Amino acid sequence: MILDGKVPSGPIDSRWDRHKRDMLLVNPANRRKFNVIVVGTGLAGASAAASLGEMGYNVKAFTILDSPRRSHSIAAQGGINAAKNYKNDGDSVYRLFYDTVKGGDYRARESNVHRLAEVSVDIIDQCVAQGVPFAREYGGMLDNRSFGGAQVSRTFYARGQTGQQLLLGAYSALMRQVDAGTVKIFARREMLDLVVANGKARGIVCRNLVNGKMERYVADAVLLCTGGYGNAYYLSTNAGNSNVTAAWRCARRGAYFANPCFVQIHPTCIPVSGSHQSKLTLMSESLRNDGRVWVPKNADDKRPANEIPEEDRDYYLERRYPAFGNLVPRDVASRNAKVVCDEGRGVGATGRAVYLDFTDAIERLGEDAIRDRYGNLFAMYEHIADEDPYKAPMRIYPAVHYTMGGLWVDYHLMSNIPGLFVLGEANFSDHGANRLGASALMQGLADGYFVIPYTLANYLGGAKLDALSTDHDSFAEAQNSVSERINKLLAVNGARTVTEFHRELGQILWDKVGMSRKQDTLHEALDEVRKLRDEYAQNVKVVGRSDDLNRQMEVALRVDDYMEFAEMLVSDALDRDESCGCHFREEHQTDDGECMRNDERYSYVAAWEFKGRNAKPELHKEQLEFKFAEVKQRSYK
């Protein structure tokens, strides 16, 4: 099937404005007749719920956490992009658009990316009005810094805690609507199934994580804002509660999953120290503004960093990419770190790390200036690594961070299931095969504040929605399916823990579907994932009861979904026989080790339809056209 992204025609810089004028509306008096479910309360979910509540819709917002303030968006550190050109260095909406398309290696939908770039300028004004304390220059103007994949300064930031401050702004808007009665928050609930009635998304079944009770909720539309699936790899920078379950349950109900193999591996993370770890810690990409990345020139050089003279250091990013230096995109920086470590030039006890050195910046700007910019990040590093980064270089290494794949959506952010909208990292739409730094926060807020209020109204204004209650057969079927799945897991009573299985799955994915991939090992990964999935169903041990607080069972259900989802992820990586962005197939690289795309065969969105636990997923394609961004070999030299 060739998918229709419902992209409007005409000049790209006016498509969104013209399309807004053409969309259907719901008048203010009628909005209070509609019920909307928002699953997830990070930046995308909180901003969407707040906006829709402000407009007068009845909104129910669900979070697996005890408060929206603890959503994983709070962990984003470095900043948020916007094409305001405050630094007068040549930025524009078009340049942000082009950098994003190029950064994603020409595997994103042009119209969505341009809309994102347009809306970016309004996001900053919205957040400033909410009181978000962005960094400012001495004269009072908002400050900017640079991020990877750009030669301009367009990233607005609040020290090293931008995500936290933006989420608090969205949370304040959300709680205002809670107080007004238009939004109701349901905390400590996990969505375990989507309810589809008469071909439309009409509600969810979730589990109360405190008392174990199953709950049904009906609505006229469902907005999925549940983030990405990086924790399929076990070790990632994601919070432990981040998971694929909500999206995968929608996929099992017929929603297409797009580009699952596009998994971003962030180059600036604290390296793995042992098998005891359950997650990894991100060190913001903003650090690469002032930190210089290097390794010893010789593989046998084991001297401490401060004893290695300048002539024995290889600033490999600056050497290979003189135009962008340390600010190349994340996929490029990650692969290069792997290459030098594979050559035996990695540092630290494991040899799987490189240095991020601030010596020159401290000498040039002074320690106080660096402390003002990155103080909380330096403190976090010292707390975890027990090393003072003001006196010795940080040690960093790539780790799974963000997922560009997600549920397929059209230009309206609606999946192929009518009434199911997908926002933020949970959809595939804006980043292609690699996300530029500081663009995740931008997409989440763009979707929630500026896109969904129009596109949801367009759907509700034209949809024929039958009256429905939670007594409908579709709700009973969904709840019975969830209960059956839970009881089946509890009945296994095997010999291996959930964590053992999850760690083994993550190791398979990291080793064979990580920074570097090739055909034979992808086939191996597919076989290993299938065998592990079958063993999980027969040998996992889950203790406790279903009708009570049971943390182990929560995780067991998520890992069960990872087992199924991983098969689709590997299948997508195997099917895409090219290199693009984060998807680096060793068979397809240039003479100097860069990605070699095959635009003739693979310039499409790969949208996979789940066909059953033991059946091969079916591939549907959305062809990508590039009329406004010149398609060429990526170069950051």
Side-chain angles (χ1 to χ4, degrees), residues 558-629:
R558 297 168 193 167
V559 174
D560 187 49
D561 286 326
Y562 285 140
M563 292 290 179
E564 283 189 350
F565 168 71
E567 185 174 347
M568 185 178 284
L569 189 159
V570 180
S571 297
D572 186 40
L574 191 54
D575 185 78
R576 188 172 284 275
D577 193 19
E578 66 164 351
S579 287
C580 58
C582 67
H583 175 65
F584 184 73
R585 289 283 294 266
E586 294 181 17
E587 307 96 314
H588 305 292
Q589 55 182 301
T590 63
D591 292 338
D592 55 353
E594 302 297 338
C595 286
M596 184 180 290
R597 298 190 318 272
N598 185 338
D599 293 328
E600 185 175 342
R601 289 189 60 196
Y602 294 100
S603 186
Y604 60 74
V605 177
W608 295 90
E609 180 182 359
F610 179 76
K611 304 297 285 188
R613 190 174 177 95
N614 295 304
K616 182 180 179 181
E618 183 178 352
L619 174 62
H620 305 286
K621 300 177 181 179
E622 180 195 345
Q623 297 296 329
L624 294 171
E625 294 183 359
F626 295 93
K627 299 179 179 179
F628 303 94

Side-chain angles (χ1 to χ4, degrees), residues 153 318 377 474:
S153 294
E318 298 173 33
L377 297 172
S474 56

Side-chain angles (χ1 to χ4, degrees), residues 303-380:
R303 290 175 290 178
N306 291 340
E307 295 180 12
I308 300 177
E310 197 73 14
E311 60 269 20
D312 291 338
R313 301 180 178 187
D314 180 14
Y315 296 92
Y316 59 89
L317 292 178
E318 298 173 33
R319 171 174 56 81
R320 291 201 62 186
Y321 309 98
F324 283 75
N326 296 297
L327 287 173
V328 292
R330 291 172 177 179
D331 61 314
V332 177
S334 293
R335 278 196 299 277
N336 277 272
K338 181 180 185 298
V339 167
V340 296
C341 289
D342 288 347
E343 292 171 351
R345 296 193 287 147
V347 302
T350 64
R352 308 306 293 182
V354 300
Y355 288 127
L356 182 61
D357 195 338
F358 289 85
T359 302
D360 289 355
I362 290 173
E363 290 180 355
R364 184 178 71 255
L365 302 170
E367 185 174 317
D368 288 344
I370 298 301
R371 195 178 297 275
D372 284 343
R373 293 179 183 179
Y374 312 112
N376 61 311
L377 297 172
F378 276 50
M380 183 170 65

Side-chain angles (χ1 to χ4, degrees), residues 9-27:
S9 60
I12 198 168
D13 57 356
S14 61
R15 283 181 181 178
W16 177 233
D17 280 341
R18 286 188 296 104
H19 196 57
K20 284 190 292 185
R21 293 197 297 269
D22 295 338
M23 284 193 282
L24 299 175
L25 300 175
V26 178
N27 80 53

Side-chain angles (χ1 to χ4, degrees), residues 207-393:
R207 182 173 180 271
N208 186 313
L209 300 181
V210 176
N211 59 29
K213 290 182 179 179
M214 304 298 296
E215 299 174 351
R216 306 175 183 183
Y217 297 92
V218 66
D220 299 298
V222 176
L223 277 56
L224 198 73
C225 314
T226 52
Y229 48 86
N231 275 342
Y233 286 73
Y234 187 68
L235 286 180
S236 81
T237 65
N238 291 183
N241 275 319
S242 299
N243 63 83
V244 78
T245 286
W248 186 243
R249 292 289 116 189
C250 293
R252 287 182 61 94
R253 289 289 174 185
Y256 299 158
F257 213 110
N259 299 336
C261 78
F262 289 166
V263 177
Q264 181 168 83
I265 296 171
H266 197 294
T268 316
C269 302
I270 297 179
V272 175
S273 60
S275 60
H276 63 282
Q277 288 180 273
S278 60
K279 77 175 300 293
L280 297 173
T281 303
L282 172 71
M283 299 306 296
S284 170
E285 181 177 314
S286 63
L287 294 170
R288 290 195 278 143
N289 272 277
D290 292 303
R292 301 179 69 192
V293 179
W294 64 274
V295 292
K297 288 183 177 179
N298 301 314
D300 59 352
D301 194 340
K302 303 303 179 185
R303 290 175 290 178
N306 291 340
E307 295 180 12
I308 300 177
E310 197 73 14
E311 60 269 20
D312 291 338
R313 301 180 178 187
D314 180 14
Y315 296 92
Y316 59 89
L317 292 178
E318 298 173 33
R319 171 174 56 81
R320 291 201 62 186
Y321 309 98
F324 283 75
N326 296 297
L327 287 173
V328 292
R330 291 172 177 179
D331 61 314
V332 177
S334 293
R335 278 196 299 277
N336 277 272
K338 181 180 185 298
V339 167
V340 296
C341 289
D342 288 347
E343 292 171 351
R345 296 193 287 147
V347 302
T350 64
R352 308 306 293 182
V354 300
Y355 288 127
L356 182 61
D357 195 338
F358 289 85
T359 302
D360 289 355
I362 290 173
E363 290 180 355
R364 184 178 71 255
L365 302 170
E367 185 174 317
D368 288 344
I370 298 301
R371 195 178 297 275
D372 284 343
R373 293 179 183 179
Y374 312 112
N376 61 311
L377 297 172
F378 276 50
M380 183 170 65
Y381 180 87
E382 184 172 7
H383 180 74
I384 293 171
D386 197 26
E387 297 173 359
D388 185 350
Y390 293 103
K391 297 179 180 177

Side-chain angles (χ1 to χ4, degrees), residues 64-236:
I64 61 175
L65 305 166
D66 52 11
S67 168
R69 288 176 298 176
R70 301 195 65 186
S71 299
H72 186 57
S73 300
I74 207 166
Q77 299 165 341
I80 177 171
N81 288 330
K84 279 186 170 290
N85 195 31
Y86 279 2
K87 291 290 187 179
N88 196 30
D89 53 4
D91 201 11
S92 65
V93 167
Y94 179 83
R95 189 172 293 276
L96 174 54
F97 156 72
Y98 182 76
D99 285 348
T100 304
V101 172
K102 175 185 175 183
D105 219 354
Y106 305 94
R107 291 296 177 262
R109 189 190 288 148
E110 267 193 334
S111 293
N112 286 68
V113 177
H114 199 281
R115 177 175 65 188
L116 179 66
E118 291 175 56
V119 167
S120 71
V121 299
D122 298 323
I123 294 172
I124 303 304
D125 296 338
Q126 169 91 0
C127 294
V128 169
Q130 291 175 335
V132 173
F134 287 121
R136 294 180 180 269
E137 296 177 336
Y138 180 76
M141 290 288 289
L142 297 180
D143 197 11
N144 292 136
R145 55 192 180 197
S146 299
F147 259 62
Q151 291 182 300
V152 298
S153 294
R154 64 163 66 103
T155 304
F156 294 78
Y157 65 97
R159 212 176 186 188
Q161 49 185 256
T162 313
Q164 179 180 8
Q165 298 304 325
L166 291 173
L167 185 62
L168 289 174
Y171 174 74
S172 66
L174 175 64
M175 295 310 293
R176 180 174 178 272
Q177 296 310 310
V178 171
D179 185 62
T182 61
V183 177
K184 185 174 181 181
I185 293 178
F186 295 82
R188 302 292 288 144
R189 264 80 167 186
E190 182 166 20
M191 173 183 160
L192 293 181
D193 211 344
L194 176 74
V195 176
V196 180
N198 301 320
K200 298 180 176 67
R202 293 301 304 273
I204 63 173
V205 171
C206 64
R207 182 173 180 271
N208 186 313
L209 300 181
V210 176
N211 59 29
K213 290 182 179 179
M214 304 298 296
E215 299 174 351
R216 306 175 183 183
Y217 297 92
V218 66
D220 299 298
V222 176
L223 277 56
L224 198 73
C225 314
T226 52
Y229 48 86
N231 275 342
Y233 286 73
Y234 187 68
L235 286 180
S236 81

